[in-house]
Amino acid sequence: MRYKFLFLITGIALAVSCNSPQKDYQFTTSDIESHIDTLSSDYFLGRMPFTEGEEKTVAYLVNEFQKIGLEPGNGDSYIQEVPMVSILTQPSETMEIQSAKEKISLNGLQDYVFWTQRTDSAVSFQDAEMVFAGFGIVAPEYGWDDYKNIDVKDKIVVVLVNDPGFGTEDASFFKGNTMTYYGRWTYKYEEAIRQGALGCLIVHNTIPAGYGFNVIQNSWNSSKLYLDDRGKEGYKLAFEGWVTLPTANRLFEMAGLNERELLAKARKPDFQAIPLNLKASSSLKVEATYNTSQNVVAKLTGEQNPDEYIVYTAHWDHLGVGKPDASGDSIYNGALDNASGTAALLALAKAFKESKTPNRSVIFLAVTAEEQGLWGSAYYAQNPIYPLEKTVANINMDGINPYGKMKDVSVIGVGQSEMEELLDVELEKLGRYSAPEPNPVAGYYFRSDHFNFAKVGVPALYFHTGIDHVEKGKEYGKELQDQYTAEYYHKPSDEYDSSRWNLDGAVDDVQLLYNIGQNLANSNQWPAWKPGSEFKSIREGYMKK
């Protein structure tokens, strides 16, 4: 007997058959454990791009895809080269601010942090005008334009962190406390570029930002990785940066403005950007170093619709060798982040290869430089090997459950696409359920590789490990995750330890990822973006071409 769940979303019927293609592969811990153990070993030196660790990691992945029997995913190669540039910015120790009545000197690191994507040996600005541009957002679907009726060309825009919906408890206003892409700091710089601004300073506020100013201070006088765009350079801001909230209030006072009144005005759609009548001066020294990293890509060609693609992604990189911890360990092994996701990618590749060939093609993409800014997936999205209009969906893995069996998974970016309904159908079959991410303010939807697929309109699914532990409940599950964040996240201690890890839950989640991909790869369905998604119009635009 056939049963069908029918979801009516955005006027589109998404049919999911319970009598779906046979799931003829059952995962075990042996499918993933050895890969996690190997990739997180000291031999791989923390898998940092542009190091011996990258060479070893890429060689391992290529060899594994070959052993599985998958085709090269980029013509006759398993490699997609990712040209990058490392930019070391050394800012001036001060920034001078001048009003009609007074002049102050802001202290770098303490009051502000900035850097540049420009590769000139020196960047400077003198008496640049400053403008308060609200949240720095242009969002037609919300009837919102913070840059209307003002020209900020060659001016410095000062903008607020997050988006106007934060703190309103009104899910219909932007998305309330759930951050939209318009609240993400990267968007604010991108929009400032589109407006022709000279520079952009975001006002830091710990609660709506989701982290303290100390996190931003880590970017002071440090190197950042970017894609190498030589030959197709676009406009770049002279600088991108942040100011502390007390510093911003000081600037507003110099301009004769009240911070609370400004915030109230900025939350209204009729807000008009306000010239601050302040002028800023400072400089930066720049050192650019060019190099090439590598995405690794393999393919399983579909039988009936080989020119339609499901793309699984996981980032292979981590932080390399760095500052030693208290025990003297300096290798940042990244077992959970993201040897586990990379291991799942290899396990899924093997399962698809050993199962009946699907109707659609399935791509397995291990991307570089996620930790440095999602650059491997960004490069693929900008230079897709397979046409975006033929890419059905992306399924991303960044951290696979090490805590044992969970009843739930945590969906990142609830309300974005119909991929969520496909997930729920498969969870129900397994006696499990989905829950919204516990901290939507943090904007995790914009912080892993699926986001670069979303930015180009491809519906993307990403879920975290749940907290509802099968044996010990939610409090215990949350304690485990909090412990990981405090003791292991981005530290040398993130190593594989069979006495501490329980991969039973990882097996469940990999099975879930496989089942979802199998259903999509053997159907004719095209999951769509939901109303209100920032990415809906992008998909609709190129699908009409």
Side-chain angles (χ1 to χ4, degrees):
M1 182 180 293
R2 294 177 62 86
Y3 298 91
K4 289 188 178 181
F5 293 100
L6 188 65
F7 298 94
L8 293 176
I9 304 169
T10 67
I12 300 172
L14 176 63
V16 184
S17 172
C18 275
N19 188 22
S20 54
Q22 183 182 4
K23 310 291 192 308
D24 52 357
Y25 196 97
Q26 296 297 316
F27 291 85
T28 66
T29 57
S30 63
D31 289 311
I32 53 179
E33 184 175 30
S34 64
H35 292 308
I36 298 174
D37 192 21
T38 298
L39 286 166
S40 63
S41 68
D42 286 355
Y43 174 78
F44 289 87
L45 299 168
R47 306 188 307 281
M48 182 73 175
F50 308 145
T51 68
E52 181 184 352
E54 168 168 6
E55 295 174 7
K56 292 178 175 180
T57 304
V58 169
Y60 180 84
L61 294 173
V62 169
N63 182 61
E64 289 301 312
F65 282 137
Q66 289 175 329
K67 282 168 53 179
I68 291 168
L70 292 182
E71 308 162 46
N74 188 16
D76 59 358
S77 175
Y78 291 94
I79 301 300
Q80 181 186 40
E81 292 192 343
V82 182
M84 302 185 72
V85 58
S86 175
I87 301 177
L88 172 62
T89 301
Q90 296 175 296
S92 170
E93 293 183 356
T94 61
M95 179 164 50
E96 310 302 324
I97 307 294
Q98 177 80 56
S99 74
K101 297 180 179 180
E102 63 177 314
K103 182 177 181 179
I104 65 171
S105 182
L106 302 181
N107 296 312
L109 185 64
Q110 177 182 326
D111 298 324
Y112 68 89
V113 171
F114 60 38
W115 58 90
T116 186
Q117 291 193 45
R118 295 186 181 182
T119 55
D120 305 314
S121 60
V123 176
S124 64
F125 50 96
Q126 187 72 29
D127 293 331
E129 295 182 33
M130 304 183 77
V131 174
F132 176 64
F135 286 91
I137 291 172
V138 178
E141 67 270 34
Y142 293 110
W144 202 275
D145 185 355
D146 285 328
Y147 288 100
K148 59 182 174 291
N149 303 323
I150 193 166
D151 182 2
V152 297
K153 182 175 173 58
D154 297 328
K155 299 175 184 179
I156 297 170
V157 293
V158 179
V159 300
L160 300 172
V161 70
N162 214 302
D163 62 45
F166 178 80
T168 65
E169 307 298 332
D170 181 359
S172 65
F173 183 46
F174 281 73
K175 292 184 179 178
N177 282 336
T178 297
M179 184 189 289
T180 66
Y181 181 48
Y182 300 114
R184 182 76 170 139
W185 58 270
T186 51
Y187 164 81
K188 296 176 189 292
Y189 299 139
E190 291 167 1
E191 190 57 53
I193 288 171
R194 286 189 283 269
Q195 298 295 330
L198 175 72
C200 179
L201 288 170
I202 301 173
V203 179
H204 178 266
N205 189 333
T206 298
I207 296 175
Y211 42 81
F213 194 70
N214 62 301
V215 174
I216 293 162
Q217 288 174 315
N218 292 333
S219 295
W220 179 259
N221 200 18
S222 65
S223 294
K224 289 180 175 288
L225 284 176
Y226 301 98
L227 296 181
D228 176 4
D229 64 353
R230 286 176 296 178
K232 50 182 179 181
E233 297 95 333
Y235 177 73
K236 297 181 177 68
L237 300 175
F239 70 92
E240 304 169 355
W242 296 71
V243 294
T244 66
L245 183 58
T247 299
N249 288 338
R250 191 177 179 190
L251 297 180
F252 297 147
E253 288 174 6
M254 287 180 68
L257 301 169
N258 179 278
E259 182 263 340
R260 288 190 177 182
E261 292 178 359
L262 281 180
L263 179 59
K265 289 180 179 179
R267 289 187 181 278
K268 297 179 180 179
D270 61 354
F271 169 79
Q272 299 271 351
I274 303 171
L276 295 174
N277 298 316
L278 303 176
K279 294 183 178 180
S281 304
S282 195
S283 62
L284 311 88
K285 294 180 180 179
V286 182
E287 182 180 338
T289 304
Y290 294 90
N291 211 326
T292 300
S293 189
Q294 298 174 314
N295 290 335
V296 184
V297 55
K299 177 185 180 184
L300 178 64
T301 300
E303 283 192 338
Q304 295 181 15
N305 299 302
D307 61 346
E308 296 178 1
Y309 308 95
I310 314 297
V311 181
Y312 281 100
T313 51
H315 74 90
W316 60 254
D317 67 294
H318 198 56
L319 303 177
V321 180
K323 181 181 178 180
D325 63 10
S327 70
D329 188 358
S330 61
I331 298 178
Y332 289 67
N333 304 83
L336 185 63
D337 184 16
N338 187 31
S340 68
T342 308
L345 186 74
L346 293 172
L348 288 162
K350 180 173 178 285
F352 269 92
K353 179 62 178 177
E354 293 183 2
S355 303
K356 181 182 177 182
T357 303
N359 295 337
R360 288 167 161 162
S361 295
V362 185
I363 310 303
F364 302 91
L365 178 62
V367 295
T368 184
E370 188 270 356
E371 299 288 3
Q372 291 74 36
L374 315 183
W375 293 118
S377 55
Y379 186 80
Y380 180 91
Q382 295 171 24
N383 304 272
I385 298 171
Y386 305 98
L388 296 177
E389 65 272 17
K390 292 291 187 178
T391 302
V392 177
N394 167 242
I395 301 172
N396 185 51
M397 297 160 287
D398 192 353
I400 298 296
N401 178 10
Y403 309 122
K405 288 182 174 291
M406 297 286 178
K407 296 178 184 177
D408 63 333
V409 299
S410 178
V411 178
I412 308 302
V414 170
Q416 285 285 4
S417 82
E418 294 174 347
M419 292 293 289
E420 296 166 37
E421 277 66 36
L422 299 179
L423 169 65
D424 284 338
V425 167
E426 294 303 326
L427 281 166
E428 185 176 359
K429 294 177 189 176
L430 298 171
R432 305 177 66 193
Y433 68 95
S434 67
E437 59 189 299
N439 187 22
V441 174
Y444 285 116
Y445 193 81
F446 317 115
R447 294 167 61 177
S448 192
D449 292 300
H450 64 284
F451 174 53
N452 281 315
F453 284 86
K455 282 179 73 174
V456 293
V458 176
L461 176 67
Y462 173 43
F463 61 78
H464 272 177
T465 301
I467 62 170
D468 193 353
H469 195 272
V470 166
E471 296 177 356
K472 300 183 180 180
K474 294 180 181 179
E475 287 190 15
Y476 177 73
K478 188 174 186 306
E479 286 175 7
L480 290 173
Q481 294 198 12
D482 290 345
Q483 180 187 32
Y484 169 76
T485 301
E487 299 182 17
Y488 304 104
Y489 176 67
H490 281 192
K491 295 179 181 179
S493 54
D494 184 11
E495 299 178 321
Y496 179 69
D497 180 351
S498 59
S499 66
R500 178 169 60 86
W501 287 49
N502 181 342
L503 293 177
D504 291 344
V507 169
D508 290 347
D509 285 357
V510 174
Q511 189 74 51
L512 177 63
L513 291 160
Y514 172 77
N515 292 354
I516 295 167
Q518 274 278 14
N519 268 348
L520 272 179
N522 287 286
S523 78
N524 294 317
Q525 301 301 324
W526 288 79
W529 294 101
K530 294 184 179 181
S533 171
E534 307 92 298
F535 315 108
K536 180 178 173 61
S537 62
I538 302 171
R539 179 70 157 189
E540 291 175 345
Y542 66 67
M543 293 295 281
K544 290 177 181 177
K545 294 180 180 179

